[in-house]
């Protein structure tokens, strides 16, 4: 195989490979020999079909497979010989098609991971802000829980139902005079104003009393799940059995038992534990931000532009999604686009910190065990519908880079834990408000540091937006999506894309990926 380097610019590399026709032919002959025992043809015993007939029948498919194997092998050899560490899957292109009996000309383009300087991890000093949960916080959460667990009592028979009241009813629905499946119910409870029923249904129940009968006329929405009811007008004959009003919820042992617990003390204990876990998470976020700030301040090196682009697009996509839910979505989107350069700087910082943490982990022997990886894969598979989980597992098994992306967040957290143990940590007790204010203040300071030239502080992105200009610090940010072979797609998730938080895109050096040959016409 002949190799010619055509580009070496920063972290970008490009090569022209020439794969001799004889190498491709050798793979064709090897494949014919391999499949010969399984080939069946009238007039021949199994395994006795002459190679020339196998070539005549299946030669085109066998040659295409042999060519792909040769190209993949050539790319692997190139990576090994040049000691390359691809940042993403190489872009492989078969030049000018391919003619039988001719050498194959292949173009390979890729970006490589930078040589990360030996990380300076000695002398790290961190402050751990600690917060203890007090009885007042537990009582506040208990009151909120009670507020969301409404209790009801029967109202007087003369009580007319209004918004916020509970109507207990039977009903029978019909479309075009015919009852339909799922259109009837008995003893159904509906809180007026809750919006649980078809638009207009609950409104027409306002003013009913126990014992009333009423005909409710509504039209099914155009996007109603049942095809036979979409956009259809319907009538419901309703019999009101009771009107109930909200009663005071008593926070006692009975309340806890209604939630499946032993008594009120157990409920309070669970609430306290949950609150403490949340506070511990905020404390860790604060420590991790300070840690990453120290690492970022002491290290600067070039990062692969494609990785930065992918991380930037990930940030912007999620910011746009969140802005779409703002009261003034258009204004929120304009603000995000105006600060696009700031978010690109955040993306670059995320990628650099990710590479740095990966280098620290490799130097210090941090590893993800197979049981840990198995749990990660199982948890990720649960985000897909049951019928797609097998497809997802196969996708992860066959795509080392996808598996590396799945592994990266846990790997990063283990490296952070290692650095926490190595650092000189001092504790300071604060209130929750003080801790949250400190985190918000860090956001504002970092936002100022990421601005290119603006002398005055810009308005922060909408609160719902995922990444503030001061992030790239902590949380579970998604890694940039590596390019994947078109034939192997992960199954579509059953839920909307998960929110990315503020952490650097941790990068382990990706496993070498065999790139499929791609015709120029593609």
């Amino acid at each position: 195989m002949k190799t010619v380097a055509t580009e070496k610019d920063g972290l970008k590399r490009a090569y022209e490979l020439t794969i001799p026709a004889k190498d491709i032919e050798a793979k064709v002959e090897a494949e014919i020999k391999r499949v010969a025992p399984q080939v069946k043809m009238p007039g021949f015993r199994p395994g006795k079909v002459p190679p020339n007939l196998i070539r005549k029948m299946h030669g085109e498919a066998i040659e295409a497979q042999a060519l792909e194997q040769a190209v993949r092998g050539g790319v692997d050899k190139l990576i090994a010989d040049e000691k390359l560490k691809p940042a993403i899957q190489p872009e492989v292109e078969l030049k000018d098609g391919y003619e039988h009996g001719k050498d194959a000309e292949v173009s390979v383009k890729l970006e490589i991971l930078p040589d990360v300087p030996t990380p300076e991890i000695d002398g790290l000093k961190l402050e751990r802000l600690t917060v203890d949960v007090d009885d007042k916080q537990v009582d506040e959460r208990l009151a909120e829980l009670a507020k969301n667990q409404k209790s009801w009592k029967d109202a007087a028979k003369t009580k007319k139902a209004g918004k916020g009241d509970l109507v207990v009813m039977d009903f029978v629905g019909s479309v075009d005079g015919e009852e339909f499946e799922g259109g009837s119910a008995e003893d159904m409870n509906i809180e007026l104003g809750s919006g649980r029923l078809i638009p207009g249904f609950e409104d027409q129940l306002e003013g009913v009393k126990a014992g009333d009968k009423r005909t409710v006329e509504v039209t099914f929405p155009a996007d109603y799940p049942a095809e036979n009811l979409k956009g259809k007008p319907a009538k419901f004959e309703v019999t009101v059995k009771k009107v109930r009003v909200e009663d005071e919820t008593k926070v006692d042992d009975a309340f806890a038992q209604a939630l499946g617990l032993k008594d009120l003390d157990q409920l309070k204990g669970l609430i306290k534990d949950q609150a403490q876990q949340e506070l511990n998470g905020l404390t860790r976020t604060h420590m991790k931000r300070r840690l990453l700030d120290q690492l970022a301040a002491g290290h600067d090196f070039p990062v692969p532009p494609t990785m930065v682009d992918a991380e930037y697009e990930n940030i912007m996509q999620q910011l746009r999604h969140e802005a779409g839910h703002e009261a003034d979505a258009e204004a929120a989107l304009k603000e995000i686009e105006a600060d696009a350069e700031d978010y690109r700087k955040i993306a670059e910082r995320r990628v650099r910190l990710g590479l740095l943490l990966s280098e620290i982990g490799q130097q210090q022997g941090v590893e993800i065990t197979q049981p840990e990886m198995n749990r990660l894969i199982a948890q990720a598979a649960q985000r897909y519908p049951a019928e797609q989980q097998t497809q997802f597992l196969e996708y992860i098994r066959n795509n080392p880079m996808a598996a590396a992306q799945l592994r990266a967040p846990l790997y990063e957290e283990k490296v952070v834990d290692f650095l926490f143990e190595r650092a000189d940590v001092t504790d300071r007790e604060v209130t929750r408000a003080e801790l949250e204010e400190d985190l918000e203040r860090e956001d504002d300071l970092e936002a100022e540091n990421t601005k290119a030239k603006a002398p005055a502080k810009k308005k922060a992105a909408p609160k719902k937006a995922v990444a503030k200009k001061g992030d790239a610090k902590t949380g579970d940010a998604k890694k940039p999506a590596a390019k994947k072979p078109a034939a192997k797609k992960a199954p579509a998730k059953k839920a909307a894309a998960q929110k990315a938080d503020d952490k650097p895109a941790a990068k382990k050096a990706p496993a070498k990926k065999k790139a499929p040959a791609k015709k120029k016409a593609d």
Side-chain angles (χ1 to χ4, degrees):
M1 182 182 73
K2 181 182 177 181
T3 303
V4 177
T6 59
E7 181 181 5
K8 187 177 181 181
D9 181 14
L11 298 176
K12 294 183 178 181
R13 300 289 185 273
Y15 301 87
E16 299 287 345
L17 306 183
T18 302
I19 302 174
K22 62 181 180 63
D23 291 351
I24 300 172
E25 179 60 25
K27 291 184 179 297
V28 171
E29 292 179 355
E31 182 64 13
I32 289 174
K33 185 176 180 179
R34 187 187 70 81
V35 302
Q38 288 84 42
V39 175
K40 296 180 181 180
M41 185 180 292
F44 295 93
R45 287 180 295 165
K48 298 299 182 180
V49 179
N52 64 318
L53 289 180
I54 295 176
R55 184 186 289 268
K56 185 176 181 180
M57 292 176 58
H58 307 289
E60 186 175 345
I62 289 175
E63 187 170 48
Q65 184 175 356
L67 175 61
E68 183 170 346
Q69 291 174 352
V71 171
R72 288 183 174 181
V75 173
D76 282 350
K77 187 174 187 304
L78 165 69
I79 291 172
D81 290 349
E82 298 292 326
K83 296 181 174 58
L84 301 174
K85 295 188 294 182
I88 60 172
Q89 181 179 310
E91 180 182 334
V92 181
E93 184 177 21
L94 188 62
K95 298 179 63 180
D96 302 323
Y98 172 72
E99 294 183 28
H100 173 71
K102 301 285 187 180
D103 295 345
E105 301 290 335
V106 181
S107 168
V108 181
K109 297 180 180 180
L110 71 159
E111 287 182 0
I112 61 172
L113 293 172
D115 292 326
V116 180
T118 301
E120 295 291 336
I121 59 175
D122 292 327
L124 293 172
K125 294 183 181 296
L126 298 172
E127 184 178 50
R128 180 164 47 214
L129 304 185
T130 62
V131 184
D132 289 329
V133 180
D134 57 29
D135 291 340
K136 180 181 178 182
Q137 291 173 299
V138 173
D139 290 340
E140 288 174 351
R141 292 199 173 207
L142 195 56
E144 185 66 24
L145 179 62
K147 182 179 178 181
N148 293 329
Q149 298 289 327
K150 291 184 178 180
S151 296
W152 303 94
K153 64 181 178 180
D154 292 346
K157 292 185 178 182
T158 55
K159 160 72 175 173
K160 292 184 178 181
K163 278 188 171 59
D165 293 335
L166 194 75
V167 173
V168 183
M169 62 183 175
D170 297 341
F171 62 79
V172 177
S174 62
V175 172
D176 297 329
E178 297 289 334
E179 295 182 18
F180 57 91
E181 184 178 356
S184 303
E186 294 182 355
D187 294 326
M188 181 176 182
N189 295 322
I190 185 67
E191 182 181 348
L192 300 189
S194 65
R196 285 178 51 204
L197 301 183
I198 302 169
F201 198 117
E202 295 172 25
D203 294 339
Q204 295 179 55
L205 293 179
E206 291 186 28
V208 298
K209 306 186 302 295
D212 283 356
K213 295 183 182 295
R214 181 166 293 189
T215 299
V216 173
E217 298 186 12
V218 293
T219 299
F220 282 96
D223 60 351
Y224 195 72
E227 287 291 335
N228 63 318
L229 298 176
K230 285 184 176 180
K232 296 276 187 74
K235 290 184 179 181
F236 290 86
E237 301 300 332
V238 176
T239 300
V240 179
K241 291 187 168 180
K242 292 180 183 178
V243 174
R244 311 191 76 194
V245 293
E246 188 174 352
D247 194 12
E248 179 184 359
T249 301
K250 293 182 180 179
V251 180
D252 53 17
D253 288 343
F255 175 73
Q257 289 163 4
L259 297 175
L261 302 176
K262 180 182 177 182
D263 52 29
L264 184 58
D265 287 341
Q266 185 182 17
L267 176 57
K268 286 183 175 181
L270 289 175
I271 291 175
K272 185 172 184 177
D273 289 344
Q274 183 184 50
Q276 191 63 62
Q277 288 176 14
E278 291 177 9
L279 291 171
N280 291 345
L282 291 176
T283 293
R284 179 182 174 85
T285 295
H286 181 270
M287 280 184 66
K288 184 176 177 181
R289 288 186 174 190
R290 294 293 178 87
L291 170 67
L292 296 181
D293 284 345
Q294 290 183 49
L295 292 175
H299 301 85
D300 189 18
F301 51 87
V303 293
T306 303
M307 291 173 69
V308 175
D309 289 344
E311 187 67 22
Y312 169 76
E313 286 303 321
N314 179 52
I315 292 171
M316 295 300 284
Q317 180 181 3
Q318 295 193 48
L319 285 169
R320 290 170 186 140
H321 173 76
E322 293 295 334
H325 294 84
E326 291 290 315
D328 189 344
E330 185 177 352
L333 286 169
K334 285 182 179 179
E335 188 172 341
I336 289 168
E337 298 301 333
D339 291 338
E341 279 306 306
D342 293 343
Y343 293 119
R344 184 169 290 279
K345 291 177 182 294
I346 289 171
E348 182 176 333
R349 172 184 162 113
R350 284 185 177 185
V351 172
R352 183 175 291 109
L353 281 169
L355 293 170
L356 188 60
L357 289 174
S358 178
E359 184 68 19
I360 293 172
Q362 291 178 28
Q363 288 185 9
Q364 302 299 327
V366 178
E367 294 181 348
I368 299 295
T369 65
Q370 191 57 51
E372 288 174 331
M373 191 62 193
N374 291 342
R375 284 194 295 272
L376 279 177
I377 294 173
Q379 290 168 1
Q382 292 301 314
R383 298 200 296 267
Y384 296 87
E387 63 273 14
Q388 292 185 356
Q389 290 182 13
T390 300
Q391 181 185 350
F392 171 77
L393 295 175
E394 180 183 356
Y395 173 76
I396 292 296
R397 281 196 299 268
N398 295 331
N399 290 271
M401 191 167 288
Q405 287 183 312
L406 191 62
R407 181 191 304 111
L410 177 59
Y411 186 82
E412 177 187 294
E413 292 308 311
K414 294 188 76 168
V415 175
V416 168
D417 285 337
F418 167 82
L419 293 173
F420 282 169
E421 293 175 2
R422 189 183 181 102
D424 180 10
V425 179
T426 57
D427 290 330
R428 178 162 66 92
E429 190 171 338
V430 296
T431 65
R432 177 173 185 139
E434 290 171 334
L435 176 55
E436 290 175 341
E437 286 173 7
D438 204 347
L439 287 169
E440 190 68 26
R441 184 163 53 251
E442 285 184 2
D443 282 339
D444 293 339
L445 288 173
E446 185 64 22
E448 289 299 304
N449 292 335
T450 58
K451 292 183 187 202
K453 295 181 179 179
K457 182 181 172 186
K458 295 179 183 178
K459 278 182 70 179
K463 287 185 179 180
K464 277 193 172 184
V466 178
K468 295 185 181 179
K469 292 190 283 293
D471 59 12
K473 288 183 173 182
T474 185
D476 292 320
K478 290 183 180 176
K479 290 171 56 62
K483 294 181 181 177
K484 305 177 182 70
K488 290 282 187 179
K489 290 186 179 180
K493 289 185 181 178
K494 65 181 177 182
Q498 290 185 335
K499 190 184 283 187
D501 291 316
D502 319 341
K503 90 176 174 188
K507 300 287 186 293
K508 293 195 72 169
K512 287 193 293 183
K513 178 78 175 75
K514 292 185 178 180
K518 184 172 77 172
K519 292 186 179 180
K520 193 171 185 180
D522 295 341

